[in-house]
Amino acid sequence: SANQPLKQAVILSAQYGINVFVLGLVLMLAGTFHRAGVTQEHILAYLSTLMAIQLAWMLWYFSGRHGKRVLLTEKDEHAGPRWLRGGLTLFATLSLVLDMFKIGYYVGYSSCLTAVKGVYPAIHAVHTLSQVYFLWFHAKDIIQAFQMIGRFGMIHSVFTNLLLWVNSIIAESKHQLNDHKKRLAGHGFANLTMEKAGPNCSCTIHVCAAFYKASYYMYPFSIEYHVLASAMLYIMWKNVGRKLEHRSPQKLVFKTRPNILPGPVLGAAVFATTIGILVVYSLQAGHSKDHRLSAVTMFYLYSMIVLGLMSAASTTGLVIYRIDKRSMDYSKNPTRKLDGQLLASTACASWLLSWCSVLAAVSAQSRPHSTWLSLPLSTLAIVEKSVQNMFIVESLHRKQDDGEEEAGRLKGTSDRPGTSPPRCGIVNKTLEGVERQLCCAAAPPQSPEDRSSSVCSEQLPSPRAAGSFPPASFRQTGNLHKTRVILKNIAAFLFLCNISFWILPAFGAWPQFDNGLEENVYGFEAWILIVNLAMPFAIFYRMHASSALFEVFCAI
Amino acid sequence: SANQPLKQAVILSAQYGINVFVLGLVLMLAGTFHRAGVTQEHILAYLSTLMAIQLAWMLWYFSGRHGKRVLLTEKDEHAGPRWLRGGLTLFATLSLVLDMFKIGYYVGYSSCLTAVKGVYPAIHAVHTLSQVYFLWFHAKDIIQAFQMIGRFGMIHSVFTNLLLWVNSIIAESKHQLNDHKKRLAGHGFANLTMEKAGPNCSCTIHVCAAFYKASYYMYPFSIEYHVLASAMLYIMWKNVGRKLEHRSPQKLVFKTRPNILPGPVLGAAVFATTIGILVVYSLQAGHSKDHRLSAVTMFYLYSMIVLGLMSAASTTGLVIYRIDKRSMDYSKNPTRKLDGQLLASTACASWLLSWCSVLAAVSAQSRPHSTWLSLPLSTLAIVEKSVQNMFIVESLHRKQDDGEEEAGRLKGTSDRPGTSPPRCGIVNKTLEGVERQLCCAAAPPQSPEDRSSSVCSEQLPSPRAAGSFPPASFRQTGNLHKTRVILKNIAAFLFLCNISFWILPAFGAWPQFDNGLEENVYGFEAWILIVNLAMPFAIFYRMHASSALFEVFCAI
């Protein structure tokens, strides 16, 4: 019966969070379209208030944790893995750089900007620092005491981050739209109204323009940072008051071997080409119409090749799964469930764009040069995402065949004890003491809590350790080993390709605006609305697929 | 390992369904805004094809069921309760009437309408009949054999119904918008472009105009029918291949008693007043601006009173739950989970509208007469939905105190065996044989399968049966009894109020268009877009809350 008010808190807190979010959304939409007298200042004030509340809550949480007021009995080992927290920290750092740019910009124009334009980035910087600290050390916490306050604080944080995400997206979309309008204006469409850039006074520190320009290269990172943070906070919210079934979790260890070469190499080649394509595209798209269309054609041909390779790789992975059957792990795991749902739901946005392109390509009256490529490309994009989602979700659910591996591993060590180099994670019964020392020295320091517990003894019985033996010692498990090498190559290749397809739209290559096809068919305004609504989710899909593929790579 | 391709089928079929839906959505949006050369005929052809595929699949399913090809081992007793199937049948019947109107309209104008305009309602009628038959007899099925085809057929049906729902919503929104424009045109705003109504030839059967007008009174029912059907089909899709934990399910029986009077009576009063308000509002809103604004003021005052009463009722229910503590039932139940999620997600749409109104009321420059009511009304609407959701979700999760009741029931029967009338569902040890006869005779015939199994023996041990004893026999459980009576009254009152608030917008009382507040603040086009996107979900919320409250009424 003590459970009742807590279950109520789930609904109550969720409804509170949704309403905070909806109000923010209404404010932002009104501000964007200059309605209802809402200005940028109102929005920033609202966001700053929300961040201040979250800061107060986190302070309460920290003080409770250190004063042992918030009792912790368990940790969810699936939540907030180290690589995810690492990614979060990276993005947060670049987000801090963005805050510095904004503060610098405010200092330059301080005579004619309202105070909130300076207060907002300062609060945001403090908020970012505290939140990264919070997530780095507490992402696995399962709150058992003061659940009510825990739930409300957590859901408040989730929706605050989502609102900050929406705010960044709107800023980024406005920027993309202005770029697009500038290009159109260069080609003679002069009747478009431009957003006025910059305040009414002159800059006092001479680098305002540089700050302004540079900040747009940081927005994509800020966007991803807020989404990652809200996903991790959502998992913490789901975990409040949860009772865990006790199972020893699999530690995921990042490990490469000489066999895993073709995938990463091919992926790196794709990645390098992508950077080249992005630079060429950005330069070409600003020129005349012919230049722009040839850039689009290049972009389409390149995308088709890569998407084709990705589809082939995912399909190969699925075929291997059909041959190499394993039992599946369907135990409760909020992190994995959210992963799958996010993949499917954000893919919807790209599917919407793709289907719009298909319809436009089929029905277009006047066909630009690149139209004949648009139809197969869109179809390929739809297929690729479907196959890739299936590959990722099945990979995350597969169980490791621990028994089979254990046998192979022990056989290998007893056959030739000398050939195994003393690497971290390898168990050699006779050398165990020495190796544990080495392992402890080599293991990167985690959080203070983690270090005090037995990191090494946990890592030692890892089944994945077998992977670092030379393949010659795997006579019995050779087939298993080969399968795993192929799968690891596939995951690495897909990972790098997804990163590439994240970089392209995140840094401004939006051929949807430049190909001149959909814009003619649906009309300028309608198409801009559709793209600006769907694109952020399509971009997030690529980032999220990359992080999931990284996990797959470690888990295989 | 046999489980693997099936788990794949979940993702594969879901992705297939989403793409079918997205393509349909793109077609409909293009058709609505007359883009990409998509006409109404294309959309109807696409929908007819989808319905034909579903019909073929259902035919395969029927033939398999009767040829015992589709093996059934279990049934999900939570899925498709009888009252839900009853509601579905009612809405389907009115949806068939709509099809008849459309066919009649086609016959009248057959010389100048394309064939697809006649084929579509005919296929839709066949589709409706088959689907109601399918859901009536198979909604509880848990498919174990041919799961792959089952999954694909099911998800195809889900998204076909969702597309039919979207199609009806667009037709309804266009109609509402045209009505609104006509009114505005009557007040001198002549520069609005009207949709041309009717084809280019004259009607041959003299009742075309009547068919056309009458059909718009049927759309709300058709809309609800498709949503209900897709929710039931979604539960069937979730249930494919499921393994049930064996628990005897609670049969819900609709039962009223003399004590349960204030709630239904007050609810009926609200309902009757609503009909009156709707008629007056519809007549007044078409008149001059002053008439319209006085109609809006009346509407707002009435809404505030009812919403206040509803909030009070829900809060009372929650307070009772805090006092009368029970253990909660958190067992796996896809139907209940979907109920909760639908309530929360569709409430978001109304919250969006409410927050827009709040912002508009705060920031409006010129205030019409009704503005001062808009702010408290919107706030009340937000609060009411939050409290009501919490009441419904907690009610659905509460366990019946079987042990306590059993004691009271047996005591009651042994005290005065003569006072208990021989009603269906009442257990009297000495009269058991006689009563079972009566019960079997009184129970309405369900499906052939159900009748052959032991309906009566299942119904007999129902704990709810205790409710039908005269209260005098409840000396020990008097307090429990009183609590239940209050809760039943609350549920009944809320049920009737939600039905009322469904009727108002479903049949054309949209004060959001008539109060002249938000339209001024956000602009005509933007506000119409927001209302037309959010309103269908807000309307569905009321219908769904009613059905959930009906279940709560039976379960208490």
Side-chain angles (χ1 to χ4, degrees), chain A residues 54-165:
Chain A
Q54 191 188 336
L55 279 173
W57 176 77
M58 286 196 291
L59 208 67
W60 173 85
Y61 191 85
F62 292 144
S63 74
R65 276 285 271 138
H66 292 291
K68 304 283 168 213
R69 177 155 43 82
V70 180
L71 287 170
L72 273 178
T73 50
E74 295 187 291
K75 292 204 165 225
D76 178 6
E77 288 300 330
H78 295 294
R82 212 187 307 164
W83 54 268
L84 191 62
R85 285 179 287 161
L88 182 86
T89 313
L90 176 71
F91 288 136
T93 313
L94 293 164
S95 188
L96 280 175
V97 175
L98 175 60
D99 286 330
M100 295 308 121
F101 286 162
K102 279 185 183 167
I103 292 175
Y105 185 79
Y106 171 74
V107 170
Y109 284 116
S110 54
S111 58
C112 59
L113 286 176
T114 45
V116 72
K117 290 246 178 192
V119 171
Y120 172 77
I123 289 192
H124 189 265
V126 177
H127 178 262
T128 303
L129 285 172
S130 324
Q131 184 164 271
V132 168
Y133 176 83
F134 177 77
L135 286 175
W136 188 270
F137 293 113
H138 302 293
K140 293 173 190 297
D141 285 10
I142 294 183
I143 298 173
Q144 299 290 1
F146 296 94
Q147 292 187 18
M148 197 80 160
I149 309 176
R151 272 207 191 280
F152 269 89
M154 223 61 100
I155 206 77
H156 179 90
S157 313
V158 169
F159 283 104
T160 302
N161 275 286
L162 278 183
L163 277 179
L164 291 169
W165 173 67

Side-chain angles (χ1 to χ4, degrees), chain B residues 69-343:
Chain B
R69 176 154 46 80
V70 180
L71 287 169
L72 275 178
T73 51
E74 295 185 292
K75 292 201 165 229
D76 178 5
E77 289 299 331
H78 296 295
R82 214 187 305 164
W83 53 268
L84 192 61
R85 286 179 287 162
L88 182 85
T89 313
L90 176 70
F91 289 136
T93 314
L94 294 165
S95 187
L96 280 175
V97 174
L98 175 61
D99 287 330
M100 295 307 122
F101 286 162
K102 280 186 181 168
I103 292 176
Y105 185 78
Y106 171 75
V107 170
Y109 284 116
S110 55
S111 57
C112 59
L113 286 176
T114 45
V116 74
K117 291 246 178 190
V119 171
Y120 172 76
I123 289 192
H124 189 265
V126 177
H127 177 263
T128 303
L129 286 171
S130 322
Q131 186 164 271
V132 169
Y133 176 82
F134 177 79
L135 286 175
W136 190 269
F137 293 114
H138 301 293
K140 293 173 189 297
D141 286 9
I142 294 183
I143 297 175
Q144 298 290 0
F146 295 95
Q147 292 187 18
M148 195 80 161
I149 309 176
R151 273 206 190 281
F152 269 89
M154 223 62 100
I155 206 76
H156 178 90
S157 312
V158 169
F159 282 104
T160 302
N161 274 288
L162 278 183
L163 277 178
L164 291 168
W165 173 67
V166 174
N167 195 39
S168 302
I169 280 179
I170 290 178
E172 174 76 7
S173 293
K174 269 187 188 169
H175 172 71
Q176 297 277 5
L177 193 58
N178 249 22
D179 265 16
H180 181 52
K181 281 182 179 170
K182 252 182 225 160
R183 283 179 203 165
L184 284 184
H187 302 318
F189 298 88
N191 57 346
L192 294 165
T193 50
M194 296 287 229
E195 292 266 324
K196 205 177 64 58
N200 287 323
C201 55
S202 54
C203 182
T204 54
I205 54 170
H206 305 295
V207 282
C208 291
F211 279 155
Y212 184 78
K213 275 204 163 174
S215 71
Y216 281 102
Y217 291 96
M218 295 297 139
Y219 266 111
F221 301 109
S222 174
I223 289 171
E224 296 305 324
Y225 158 67
H226 286 301
V227 162
L228 278 184
S230 54
M232 287 171 81
L233 287 161
Y234 173 76
I235 294 294
M236 289 185 75
W237 178 75
K238 287 289 267 187
N239 274 338
V240 170
R242 191 175 150 210
K243 299 272 175 290
L244 281 183
E245 317 95 81
H246 276 284
R247 306 183 310 117
S248 63
Q250 295 183 340
K251 278 249 171 179
L252 299 182
V253 186
F254 180 78
K255 206 157 264 177
T256 48
R257 282 174 299 159
N259 306 47
I260 305 170
L261 207 64
V265 166
L266 197 57
V270 168
F271 185 81
T273 319
T274 302
I275 305 290
I277 294 270
L278 179 65
V279 172
V280 174
Y281 185 89
S282 305
L283 292 175
Q284 294 273 70
H287 278 74
S288 71
K289 199 182 168 190
D290 283 347
H291 275 92
R292 204 169 72 237
L293 287 183
S294 74
V296 169
T297 308
M298 171 194 73
F299 188 97
Y300 276 11
L301 282 173
Y302 161 76
S303 301
M304 276 176 70
I305 294 167
V306 177
L307 285 175
L309 288 175
M310 287 167 78
S311 307
S314 301
T315 311
T316 314
L318 285 172
V319 169
I320 290 176
Y321 286 158
R322 288 288 78 74
I323 296 166
D324 174 36
K325 282 181 180 159
R326 292 265 176 93
S327 59
M328 304 289 268
D329 172 21
Y330 291 126
S331 59
K332 196 179 176 185
N333 182 344
T335 311
R336 185 172 56 196
K337 197 178 171 194
L338 181 68
D339 275 349
Q341 285 171 345
L342 282 179
L343 279 178

